[in-house]
Each structure stands twice: as C-alpha cells, then as structure tokens.
Amino acid sequence: MKEVILHIGMHKTGSSSIQASLENYSDDTTTYARFEETNHSMALSTIFSETRYDYHLWKIVGLSKDEIDDKKRHYLEVLEKDLVDPKFERLIISGEGISMLLWEEKRSLLRFFKSRGIRVKVVCFVRAPNDFATSAIQERIKGGGLKTLPYMDPVYRQRLLYFSKNLPKESLIVKDFADVVSEYGDVVTGFAAICGLDSERIDRKRVNESLSATATKLVYRLNKLPITIFGNHDRVMARQKLINILSMAFPTSGDDKLDAGVLCGLLSPTVDDDAKFLLDSFHVDFTQVSHASNLESCEKYLSDLSDITPKLLLDALKKQQVRLPRCNTIDEILTKLYQECLQERSNVSKLESSVTHLRNLALKTGEQGWLFRSGKHVWKFWHRR
C-alpha cells in the first residue's frame, strides 16, 4: 500500500452516504477498508484513542475493558491485512470521529502509517456553523441520549490544526460541503472526483438519517424520562427500534423540520474565532454567520410538545401497526412503547441464544440434526463429521 486516504467528515456533511456508497468499492488501484462497520470512526478510535475504555459507544452497550481490548486487536488485524494487500496501492478509511482524536492520538495515527512507508492524504468537508448546530443537536439527541442542551461548536481548529501542521499542504483537502454539492450535484460524486475514484464502480446510496421536528422532540422527551435506555445491547436496540417507529410515524416532510433560526442559539460564543481559523487556513469563509447564543430559547423550543396530543401520537403509531393500551399522557405512551420494544428485543436475544446453543451442540455431537421452531421461523442444524 502506497497511500491512505483518511476521510474525516466532518459530522453532518454526507459522510454516511459516502460510507454506504463505498462499502464494497474497489478499482484497479484503490479499495475501501474492510472493517465490519462502514463508518470507521469506531475502529480508528478503538485502535488509537488513549481513552478507548471511555469511548461513548462502548459505554452505551456496556463493554468491559477486556472486550474493548479484544475489539482493538481485531480492528488492528483487519487494518494490517488491508495495508499489505498486494492488489491495491490506495486504501480509503472514512470516519467522522477520526477528526476528534486528540493531538497525541493523531500523532500516533500518522506515525503508524509513516512507519510502514505509507503516505497519508486527509479529506474533510466542513459545514457552516448554523447548519451544523441544527444537524448536530439532532444527532446528539438521537444517538447519545442527550437530556440537557450543551453549546454546540464545530471545532474546526481542533479537527484540523494537527493535520495542517504535520502534513504537506497538498495532502490536506478541506472544502465547504455546500460548495461540493453545488459543484458536483451530490457529495458522493464530489468525493469520488476529489479522490480520483472510478465513478462508474460506485454503488451510490443516499443515506438520510434526519428526523422530523416532531420525532426529534419526542426522542428528546424520551431521554428525559426516568427509565434506563442504555447499558446493554438489548436496551440500545430497543431504543433504536423506538426511534425508527417515530421516524416513520412522523416523517420529515413539509414544514415538520427543525427551526435552524432558533437552534443557531446553540452555537458557542467562541465559534467566530473558530471560523476565522478556517478562513485563514483554508479560505473557507463562514465568518459572516449570524448567531446569538441562547440555550434557554432552544430548550423551550425542543421541549414544546403542545402540538402533539396523546391521541395524535397513538393514531400515528397505529398507522405503523403499533397498538398500545390506552394511555393518557405522552410520557405514558413513550414509556409503554419503549417497554414493548425492549420486550421484543429480549425475545430476539433469547432466540439467538437458543440458536447458538443448538449450533454448538450439533458441532459437538457429530452426525445429528435438529429442527427448532419459533413462531414463523424454523431453524435446522446438521453437522457431519
């Protein structure tokens, strides 16, 4: 391998679409890294972060230190295997979280590749602060169980300063996300052109993970309820199922979108200095963005459920084939819906455990076969020595 292309986001700049589209990509010289996840933030953070045991995604699912160490070893094996693949000269690694590694962690990352004689090129798309604040707060509410609103800061300097000081100028490409979409039509085509990929071999997939304003407010309310929604895999999956149900019950359309004019109040007072760094270093001008930090107005806006009655929510859920017992409040509906999703997920886990047990039993006992029935599913295991 001669070169690694690190696509480091930033967050909310079409990274999910790029990753989904490149999942199985390869051409005569270039391939996409073969980690299990298409977003490589988890892999790179687990390998290079000094605080990997506190990585938020591992904490959410409740992994132990030993389990995280196993993850690191596995990710490192996959990366090393990709780097010595003689069929390719370039490897693409894509993960928004890479930009948030600390200074010394980024140093370790670049040294890792340099010690193997591999060049590094970094590609980063940046988004205007106002647009970033709206998208990022939704992501925090949806993915991180946010209960109170923090200031949002795109931290351009933190993401890019180390790379700007330690890579040749031509090896760090920073572009305005809106300009890329305007010039190329979509972010995947733009990324392919900038990196010299064969556009004909890309299986384009548009991933839109945005929630409507109604769904976002309901998830924010769920986060505030006195129920445990994180801590193990079943709880995480149950919460994701609930969010999927709400997103289908209240799809993003028409006027049901988050009000960026209100949510720009989430921007940190330091964002102007950060925007100046971006202009001075990369000639991307976000210095004219207007904002006035006001967390109180943002909290009031996101907590306002006055337009969502219990009947409206129950009727919307019924259209998604979700039927709940009579509930008198939004909180009761969300709590009951989460309990239903958790029970369903627990049943799936029990089934998976039974399937694993029978598979192992078949492997141990030799020429034996079993049929295992669960609902509509029939599982057959047969092993011949």
Side-chain angles (χ1 to χ4, degrees), residues 39 173 217 281 288 376:
N39 183 336
I173 300 171
K217 290 180 178 183
S281 301
Q288 302 304 312
K376 297 179 181 179

Side-chain angles (χ1 to χ4, degrees), residues 346-381:
S346 296
N347 291 340
V348 170
S349 292
K350 290 176 183 177
L351 174 59
E352 290 174 344
S353 178
S354 298
V355 168
T356 300
H357 173 70
L358 288 173
R359 181 187 296 115
N360 292 338
L361 189 60
L363 290 172
K364 286 181 180 179
T365 57
E367 193 173 320
Q368 298 289 337
W370 290 268
L371 287 178
F372 176 68
R373 183 181 298 276
S374 176
K376 297 179 181 179
H377 304 287
V378 177
W379 306 82
K380 181 177 181 180
F381 298 95

Side-chain angles (χ1 to χ4, degrees), residues 178-197:
D179 288 347
V180 172
V181 173
S182 176
E183 179 177 355
Y184 295 100
D186 65 81
V187 69
V188 175
T189 301
F191 182 80
I194 291 166
C195 296
L197 306 182

Side-chain angles (χ1 to χ4, degrees), residues 55-63 143-145 229-233 235-237 239:
Y55 185 54
H56 66 287
L57 293 178
W58 296 146
K59 292 185 74 172
I60 284 173
V61 297
L63 290 193
I229 53 178
F230 291 126
N232 61 49
H233 185 66
R235 291 188 179 280
V236 172
M237 296 302 293
R239 183 175 182 277

Side-chain angles (χ1 to χ4, degrees), residues 119-174:
R119 299 188 305 271
V120 174
K121 177 184 288 186
V122 172
V123 178
C124 183
F125 298 150
V126 291
R127 193 164 186 170
N130 283 7
D131 292 337
F132 170 81
T134 303
S135 295
I137 196 62
Q138 183 186 99
E139 189 64 29
R140 293 283 299 275
I141 290 171
K142 182 176 66 173
L146 196 68
K147 297 181 180 181
T148 57
L149 299 181
Y151 281 121
M152 304 302 295
D153 195 333
V155 290
Y156 305 121
R157 183 191 301 272
Q158 180 180 336
R159 296 174 190 274
L160 297 167
L161 184 60
Y162 181 83
F163 294 121
S164 69
K165 288 185 173 295
N166 291 277
L167 287 175
K169 187 175 182 179
E170 64 274 11
S171 295
L172 176 56
I173 300 171
V174 179

Side-chain angles (χ1 to χ4, degrees), residues 23-280:
E23 180 178 8
N24 298 307
Y25 179 83
S26 63
D27 58 32
D28 294 339
T29 61
T30 307
T31 189
Y32 194 66
R34 286 168 283 196
F35 297 111
E36 182 177 348
E37 304 86 4
T38 56
N39 183 336
H40 303 148
S41 298
M42 193 180 298
L44 272 287
S45 295
T46 303
I47 294 173
F48 294 103
S49 175
E50 297 173 358
T51 58
R52 64 182 63 86
Y53 301 125
D54 295 321
Y55 185 54
H56 66 287
L57 293 178
W58 296 146
K59 292 185 74 172
I60 284 173
V61 297
L63 290 193
S64 67
K65 288 186 176 182
D66 287 343
E67 289 172 322
I68 294 170
D69 287 337
D70 288 341
K71 288 282 189 182
K72 178 186 177 182
R73 282 190 289 270
H74 172 69
Y75 285 139
L76 196 53
E77 287 173 4
V78 173
L79 179 57
E80 293 278 18
K81 186 175 180 180
D82 277 341
L83 293 177
V84 298
D85 190 331
K87 298 191 295 295
F88 302 104
E89 297 180 357
R90 299 196 304 170
L91 179 70
I92 301 171
I93 298 174
S94 175
E96 309 92 303
I98 299 170
S99 67
M100 298 304 293
L101 291 173
L102 300 178
W103 189 275
E104 286 300 319
E105 295 166 353
K106 287 171 180 166
R107 186 197 305 274
S108 297
L109 173 67
L110 293 191
R111 284 179 173 175
F112 176 85
F113 295 116
K114 184 178 180 180
S115 67
R116 289 157 176 77
I118 299 171
R119 299 188 305 271
V120 174
K121 177 184 288 186
V122 172
V123 178
C124 183
F125 298 150
V126 291
R127 193 164 186 170
N130 283 7
D131 292 337
F132 170 81
T134 303
S135 295
I137 196 62
Q138 183 186 99
E139 189 64 29
R140 293 283 299 275
I141 290 171
K142 182 176 66 173
L146 196 68
K147 297 181 180 181
T148 57
L149 299 181
Y151 281 121
M152 304 302 295
D153 195 333
V155 290
Y156 305 121
R157 183 191 301 272
Q158 180 180 336
R159 296 174 190 274
L160 297 167
L161 184 60
Y162 181 83
F163 294 121
S164 69
K165 288 185 173 295
N166 291 277
L167 287 175
K169 187 175 182 179
E170 64 274 11
S171 295
L172 176 56
I173 300 171
V174 179
K175 291 185 175 291
D176 181 349
F177 168 68
D179 288 347
V180 172
V181 173
S182 176
E183 179 177 355
Y184 295 100
D186 65 81
V187 69
V188 175
T189 301
F191 182 80
I194 291 166
C195 296
L197 306 182
D198 186 344
S199 185
E200 296 298 320
R201 300 195 188 193
I202 296 176
D203 181 16
R204 282 173 174 72
K205 297 174 184 175
R206 186 175 183 275
V207 179
N208 183 2
E209 299 177 334
S210 296
L211 297 177
S212 65
T214 300
T216 302
K217 290 180 178 183
L218 288 169
V219 176
Y220 189 45
R221 183 59 195 166
L222 171 72
N223 292 346
K224 291 173 175 286
L225 297 180
I227 56 177
T228 304
I229 53 178
F230 291 126
N232 61 49
H233 185 66
D234 283 351
R235 291 188 179 280
V236 172
M237 296 302 293
R239 183 175 182 277
Q240 186 58 54
K241 174 73 180 291
L242 184 151
I243 292 173
N244 291 342
I245 291 171
L246 291 178
S247 71
M248 291 185 289
F250 299 98
T252 304
S253 60
D255 297 328
D256 196 9
K257 297 179 180 179
L258 291 173
D259 189 335
V262 173
L263 294 178
C264 68
L266 293 167
L267 285 171
S268 166
T270 63
V271 73
D272 292 330
D273 290 337
D274 216 27
K276 187 176 185 304
F277 160 79
L278 202 62
L279 176 62
D280 293 343

